């Protein structure tokens, strides 16, 4: 298609890794269709098949992506009846492309919801499909490139009601009757900082020391502003770069020291004092902290 680009950037996230040719082939397909479009690799190190982790990574990244098309592929259902979709947000200000398996939903909700969507079923905007297991190359990459060239969304496939897209599940922290909070670890970064599904306002006027129970032990964590403010040999609870609370250790891994994993449950309680408090903990059954995005909680 001649004329100026509608978008000049595709932001690309996947669980493909870099050990195989998958990422490079998606880049090459996009370049063959839209050579002037730049592809920015957000990450390709999402754990294989982990739709939840991919959706959270996409949501964390969405506010900082360059305007254009977000291409996300974490797709354990590839080749099945799950739908390949392109989703319009901001009345055409941007698009998200990927499988309709909940991967895109957190980011869509974060940017204000979908204003249109299609199933990518028009073969005129796809590669010849030799086998049904690489939609990133054969379906999603061509769709992203053609959208950048200005092809209308409706030409890429069959329009669908955005309300019928599969919702994502976003875990939410829960205040307990005794005043404590039950939280879930959303993400552990490469430094071992454990991001929680709580914001600083959730704790309100709690004291500067918080008891955190989870993993193998119970520890006190000081509420701090920066990593360097964490007491030597201790744990800190700070507001991370995404505005959520994170459990951290200065120049070490809180996840390793506490034996934590993404999805683990933690209990936070307000306490007074700074004394070290270490004792064995037996974790209970994980409560139901997940609800479809956009659905209000019990408190409205």
């Amino acid at each position: 298609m001649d004329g100026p680009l509608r978008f000049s950037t595709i932001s690309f996230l996947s669980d493909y890794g870099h050990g195989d040719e998958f990422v490079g082939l998606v880049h090459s397909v996009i370049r063959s269709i839209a050579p002037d479009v730049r592809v920015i690799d957000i990450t390709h190190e999402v754990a294989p098949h982990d739709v939840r982790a991919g959706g959270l990574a996409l949501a964390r990244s969405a506010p900082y992506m360059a305007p254009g098309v977000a291409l996300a592929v974490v797709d354990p259902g590839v080749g099945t009846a799950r739908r390949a979709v392109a989703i319009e947000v901001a009345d055409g200000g941007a698009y998200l492309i990927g499988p309709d398996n909940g991967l895109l939903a957190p980011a869509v909700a974060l940017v204000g919801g979908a204003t249109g969507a299609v199933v990518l079923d028009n073969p005129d905007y796809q590669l010849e499909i030799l086998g049904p297991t690489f939609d990133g190359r054969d379906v999603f990459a061509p769709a992203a490139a053609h959208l950048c060239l200005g092809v209308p969304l409706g030409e890429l496939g069959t329009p669908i009601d955005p309300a019928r897209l599969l919702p994502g599940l976003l875990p939410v922290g829960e205040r307990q009757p005794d005043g404590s909070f039950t939280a879930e670890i959303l993400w552990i970064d490469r430094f071992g900082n454990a991001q929680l599904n709580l914001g600083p306002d959730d704790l309100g006027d709690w004291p500067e020391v918080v008891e955190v129970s989870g993993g193998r032990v119970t520890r006190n964590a000081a509420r701090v502003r920066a990593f360097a403010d964490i007491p030597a040999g201790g744990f800190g609870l700070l507001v991370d770069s995404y505005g959520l609370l994170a459990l951290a250790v200065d120049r070490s891994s809180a996840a390793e020291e506490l034996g934590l994993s993404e999805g683990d449950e933690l209990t936070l309680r307000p306490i007074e004092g700074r004394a070290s408090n270490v004792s064995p903990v037996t974790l209970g059954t994980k409560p139901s902290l997940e609800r479809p995005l956009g659905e209000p909680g019990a408190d409205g």
Side-chain angles (χ1 to χ4, degrees):
M1 179 176 292
D2 295 328
L5 291 173
R6 182 176 187 179
F7 299 112
S8 61
T9 304
I10 295 172
S11 299
F12 182 22
L13 174 150
S14 78
D15 63 348
Y16 287 157
H18 288 96
D20 299 296
E21 67 271 23
F22 305 137
V23 170
L25 291 180
V26 171
H27 275 261
S28 292
V29 169
I30 291 170
R31 185 170 179 82
S32 69
I33 297 169
D36 294 327
V37 170
R38 181 176 181 182
V39 180
I40 296 177
D41 293 298
I42 302 300
T43 182
H44 299 294
E45 300 303 325
V46 175
H49 317 304
D50 194 338
V51 174
R52 176 184 179 279
L56 290 171
L58 186 65
R60 290 193 301 269
S61 305
Y64 306 98
M65 289 181 182
V69 178
L71 169 58
V73 189
V74 181
D75 195 13
V78 65
T80 69
R82 77 91 185 90
R83 299 176 297 188
V85 296
I87 302 172
E88 176 192 85
V89 296
D91 292 315
Y95 294 88
L96 295 93
I97 290 176
D100 182 25
N101 61 2
L103 174 67
L104 307 178
V108 170
L110 189 67
V111 297
T115 53
V118 301
V119 176
L120 299 172
D121 55 10
N122 185 346
D124 291 342
Y125 296 101
Q126 300 175 6
L127 300 189
E128 179 184 0
I129 296 177
L130 302 177
T133 63
F134 196 178
D135 278 358
R137 177 194 65 192
D138 300 335
V139 178
F140 300 135
H146 285 297
L147 277 173
C148 288
L149 291 178
V151 172
L153 180 67
E155 289 192 21
L156 299 179
T158 304
I160 56 173
D161 182 354
R164 299 184 66 84
L165 294 166
L166 190 69
L169 294 176
L170 182 65
V172 293
E174 186 174 35
R175 183 184 290 275
Q176 302 300 322
D178 65 358
S180 66
F181 261 101
T182 301
E184 182 175 325
I185 298 176
L186 296 178
W187 175 46
I188 295 174
D189 66 19
R190 72 184 304 266
F191 299 102
N193 304 311
Q195 183 187 70
L196 308 181
N197 58 343
L198 294 175
D201 291 343
D202 289 322
L203 302 191
D205 59 354
W206 277 25
E208 63 181 28
V209 179
V210 175
E211 180 188 89
V212 180
S213 301
R216 298 186 295 264
V217 296
T218 294
R219 293 286 180 90
N220 291 353
R223 298 180 68 181
V224 298
R225 177 178 175 81
F227 297 109
D229 297 332
I230 299 171
F235 293 85
L237 195 65
L238 49 74
V239 180
D240 71 7
S241 59
Y242 296 99
L244 294 176
L245 293 176
L247 187 63
V249 175
D250 187 26
R251 306 186 194 190
S252 187
S253 169
E256 288 185 4
E257 295 198 25
L258 290 175
L260 301 175
S261 301
E262 292 178 1
D264 281 356
E265 175 191 306
L266 297 178
T267 299
L268 281 66
R269 293 184 177 87
I271 61 172
E272 299 291 344
R274 295 179 176 273
S276 176
N277 182 7
V278 183
S279 60
V281 171
T282 301
L283 294 181
T285 303
K286 181 176 172 182
S288 176
L289 296 179
E290 298 188 340
R291 59 179 172 84
L293 283 165
E295 180 179 302
D299 59 357

